[in-house]
Amino acid sequence: NSEVMKFRDFMLLAILCTTTFFIYNTALPADIMEVRNFITAREIIDNDSWLYPTLNGVLQLEKPPLPTWVAAAIEYVSPDSLGAQRMAAGVMAVVWITFFYYVALYLSQRKDYALYSTIIFMTCYNVVQMGRTASWDIYCNAFMMAAIYFLMRGLYDDYFKERQRPWLYLPLAGLMMGLSFLSKGPVAFYAQLLPALIAALIFIRPLDVREKWKPLAAMVVICLVVSGWWYVYLLLNHHEEVMAFLSQHAYWGTRIVRPWYYYWRFFCETGVWTTLMLTALMIPFWNKRLPERRGYLIAVTWTLVALVLLSLIPEKRVRYLLPMMTPCSLAMGYVIIYFKDYCHKDRQAERLFLLNGVVMSVVTFTLPVLVFIFGYQRDSMHLDSYVGITLLIVLAGLWIARATMNRDAGQLIFGVAALFAVICSFLLRPIANVFDNPDKNSIHQISNLDLPFYHKADENLRIELIYSARHQIKPLDLSDEKAVEKAMPCVVITRDDITKSLSGEQLKKIRLEPLGRFDDNKHPKGNEHYTADFINHATILRQR
């Protein structure tokens, strides 16, 4: 029976991973972070410059290279494949989920807790979004989750009465930390590892640390070597370029400054679990009730420490909350386990469970109305598709509602998992089509031209245009006659007709071949994200 349950849990997580991170992973267009990664990967292949990655011909140091190397390898095998690039991100999400499961299992020694917490984690909005995005965040946090697991096994084997293997686990932790740093620098160290260490050391002190100083030292050395070898290579071989880059990017950390309280709504990033996360933050209430109190306190302390640390940084973005989804899910898992074991015996806890179940049921039954408004009414899906999707959503809603009435926390989790499987399998593409630009006329149409590309120097160039054009697009001062003459023949990108930027004398010497007006907006006109930055003219300039 135990083996059957183990196989069932494995298949459930495997199916949910497939639907959440891999099915229709090209439904949404590439965002700006993905585009930067893909351009650098493309230039690595074009220039065979694996150790000197560039973005539009300029040394790329803003992000470490490991995810870009992965993207470049995929680009080499499958050029211009957004699906393949995002599949790699999905694989890293699965790595994160795998080690999350083992951390949850190791903390609680309960398979049901590990399963429920993992389902909660992989259905958090922020995790789903980043697991479908080929950027750096999913890499650094996945590797750090593995590092936390190995570090925990190396430091706390005595506590869990298991055979000590510090020489196995601690060097592996160092390797995973190094790979995390090579994916996005110290981000995961600060936002995930440090809060986890603080929370763990408060409630569980590791034994015999002095006897483990050698494997700990090995962990540190491995981490430093893996983290820093590429930077040492650049400093030794491209010192001037590195110094020039650093002098031009002294604004790091100050580009999008937000107030310290910007992250106060962090619980909303859990998506459908928002109410449950708020429930889990009722620390005095749960501290008196939970049998696994220490594990719960570790999780909520980890959450709050991470929130404080992230709030201290002036630059804030919503996606920076991604590592917080780990402790949030662990905390919610303890609440679900209490609901499962004691809901029928604790009236106050029962009321909280009913509140969560009712909210989830209402949200689920509201979805068909939203799909009708934003999907069917906007001709994004046929009637038969709408009816079929509605039926599946209603079935998931009935599942959640029945679990709520029966006070069955486990079935509630499975019902939400089924709902996510339906959404990711059938809804992503129709909804994405609603927000697509039907008048899109991409500059990609001229990407096959074997000419150098330039843009007007005093006009800001969107990085997405470089990706669509498949060319480096360098700035060109159109008022500098010698520079223009030297650049020809070439393609020049301008916001307005290029004749407005050239003098009469220049027009006498230059033959213009207009290629057209291009609109690379991803969103339709009237959308708040529709901008003139993506509307450009392209013209070939040749000498008469």
Side-chain angles (χ1 to χ4, degrees):
N1 188 41
S2 177
E3 290 298 319
V4 171
M5 291 181 64
K6 185 177 180 180
F7 179 76
R8 182 206 65 181
D9 294 350
F10 171 79
M11 290 304 300
L12 174 61
L13 293 177
I15 292 171
L16 196 54
C17 280
T18 302
T19 56
T20 302
F21 301 114
F22 298 102
I23 289 182
Y24 293 136
N25 65 351
T26 60
L28 300 176
D31 64 27
I32 188 169
M33 297 304 296
E34 291 180 291
V35 165
R36 293 172 66 88
N37 199 16
F38 298 159
I39 293 172
T40 303
R42 184 186 292 162
E43 293 185 14
I44 285 176
I45 298 301
D46 292 343
N47 305 322
D48 194 22
S49 56
W50 291 83
L51 296 178
Y52 188 82
T54 58
L55 178 64
N56 201 29
V58 179
L59 174 63
Q60 169 69 335
L61 267 181
E62 288 194 34
K63 299 289 191 300
L66 181 56
T68 308
W69 287 337
V70 174
I74 295 172
E75 177 70 14
Y76 181 80
V77 175
S78 182
D80 292 330
S81 175
L82 179 60
Q85 295 287 2
R86 286 180 170 172
M87 188 173 293
V91 170
M92 292 310 301
V94 173
V95 170
W96 191 354
I97 287 162
T98 300
F99 283 100
F100 177 95
Y101 177 89
Y102 284 119
V103 167
L105 181 62
Y106 208 59
L107 279 175
S108 66
Q109 299 296 297
R110 288 188 59 162
K111 291 183 179 179
D112 55 351
Y113 168 78
L115 177 64
Y116 298 154
S117 299
T118 303
I119 292 176
I120 291 171
F121 173 70
M122 64 193 300
T123 52
C124 284
Y125 167 75
N126 209 318
V127 176
V128 174
Q129 181 186 35
M130 298 310 299
R132 286 177 162 266
T133 304
S135 63
W136 295 264
D137 299 81
I138 198 72
Y139 284 83
C140 72
N141 285 294
F143 286 126
M144 190 54 73
M145 190 79 257
I148 289 172
Y149 173 71
F150 290 129
L151 186 60
M152 182 177 65
R153 293 296 302 267
L155 290 179
Y156 292 113
D157 274 349
D158 283 342
Y159 172 76
F160 288 104
K161 309 298 182 185
E162 295 190 6
R163 183 162 62 92
Q164 288 191 337
R165 292 183 179 179
W167 277 107
L168 171 64
Y169 294 122
L170 294 178
L172 281 174
L175 174 62
M176 294 298 111
M177 290 178 196
L179 293 176
S180 178
F181 191 94
L182 207 56
S183 297
K184 203 178 179 183
V187 170
F189 285 78
Y190 182 79
Q192 189 164 203
L193 178 61
L194 181 57
L197 285 176
I198 292 173
L201 292 175
I202 289 175
F203 295 100
I204 311 176
R205 294 187 179 182
L207 302 177
D208 301 327
V209 174
R210 293 181 182 179
E211 297 180 6
K212 300 176 182 178
W213 73 267
K214 289 183 179 180
L216 280 170
M219 178 189 77
V220 173
V221 170
I222 292 172
C223 175
L224 291 175
V225 171
V226 176
S227 300
W229 71 268
W230 178 68
Y231 296 96
V232 173
Y233 165 82
L234 285 181
L235 285 171
L236 292 177
N237 295 276
H238 304 280
H239 185 267
E240 293 183 4
E241 294 96 324
V242 171
M243 292 297 104
F245 183 91
L246 293 177
S247 65
Q248 295 173 7
H249 292 77
Y251 55 80
W252 281 347
T254 60
R255 285 176 290 185
I256 303 180
V257 176
R258 314 275 193 180
W260 65 269
Y261 53 84
Y262 180 73
Y263 290 138
W264 74 270
R265 292 179 296 177
F266 72 93
F267 45 82
C268 294
E269 289 304 298
T270 61
V272 70
W273 306 109
T274 296
T275 307
L276 183 61
M277 186 63 231
L278 288 172
T279 303
L281 290 174
M282 299 168 59
I283 300 174
F285 182 86
W286 298 114
N287 189 39
K288 296 177 181 178
R289 286 173 165 78
L290 290 174
E292 304 87 357
R293 182 175 60 179
R294 180 159 53 183
Y296 165 77
L297 291 175
I298 289 174
V300 293
T301 302
W302 181 350
T303 300
L304 297 176
V305 171
L307 178 63
V308 171
L309 291 177
L310 288 170
S311 298
L312 292 176
I313 300 176
E315 181 174 337
K316 296 178 176 65
R317 303 172 192 260
V318 173
R319 59 185 172 85
Y320 290 174
L321 292 173
L322 177 63
M324 283 190 64
M325 298 302 101
T326 296
C328 285
S329 300
L330 291 172
M332 287 186 281
Y334 282 108
V335 173
I336 286 294
I337 285 296
Y338 186 84
F339 284 151
K340 178 186 176 183
D341 294 342
Y342 299 100
C343 192
H344 294 281
K345 304 174 184 178
D346 186 336
R347 295 291 296 174
Q348 289 180 304
E350 182 184 23
R351 293 190 187 100
L352 287 174
F353 175 77
L354 291 174
L355 172 64
N356 279 274
V358 168
V359 169
M360 291 179 186
S361 301
V362 170
V363 170
T364 304
F365 287 121
T366 304
L367 285 178
V369 178
L370 298 178
V371 173
F372 179 80
I373 295 172
F374 293 103
Y376 178 70
Q377 279 195 334
R378 299 189 181 186
D379 298 323
S380 182
M381 63 176 64
H382 297 295
L383 178 60
D384 54 347
S385 297
Y386 171 71
V387 171
I389 291 171
T390 297
L391 178 62
L392 291 174
I393 293 174
V394 169
L395 289 175
L398 292 173
W399 189 342
I400 295 170
R402 182 181 179 185
T404 301
M405 290 186 293
N406 292 338
R407 279 67 168 171
D408 191 334
Q411 288 299 315
L412 179 71
I413 297 294
F414 295 148
V416 175
L419 176 64
F420 264 80
V422 171
I423 292 173
C424 293
S425 300
F426 301 104
L427 269 182
L428 285 182
R429 189 175 293 279
I431 296 301
N433 291 339
V434 173
F435 300 98
D436 193 21
N437 181 10
D439 302 318
K440 187 174 182 179
N441 178 34
S442 177
I443 202 169
H444 180 73
Q445 298 173 61
I446 62 172
S447 62
N448 60 342
L449 291 176
D450 189 18
L451 291 171
F453 277 52
Y454 295 91
H455 71 94
K456 189 177 178 183
D458 58 355
E459 292 179 347
N460 180 46
L461 179 74
R462 297 286 306 213
I463 197 75
E464 294 91 336
L465 295 178
I466 299 173
Y467 175 68
S468 296
R470 288 192 57 83
H471 283 75
Q472 293 182 11
I473 306 179
K474 300 293 187 179
L476 179 64
D477 184 357
L478 295 180
S479 64
D480 186 337
E481 294 187 19
K482 291 184 178 180
V484 174
E485 183 178 347
K486 183 179 179 180
M488 293 189 294
C490 62
V491 177
V492 178
I493 310 298
T494 54
R495 295 281 170 78
D496 297 315
D497 193 306
I498 196 170
T499 56
K500 298 180 180 179
S501 302
L502 298 172
S503 66
E505 289 298 318
Q506 287 177 297
L507 291 173
K508 293 178 182 179
K509 302 176 183 179
I510 299 174
R511 179 159 55 92
L512 303 179
E513 299 178 15
L515 296 171
R517 178 179 179 270
F518 299 95
D519 183 354
D520 280 87
N521 276 285
K522 301 172 187 175
H523 303 281
K525 293 180 181 178
N527 187 282
E528 60 178 335
H529 298 292
Y530 188 90
T531 171
D533 292 348
F534 288 108
I535 301 175
N536 294 273
H537 294 258
T539 310
I540 297 178
L541 275 61
R542 303 184 190 272
Q543 290 183 335
R544 286 187 182 275

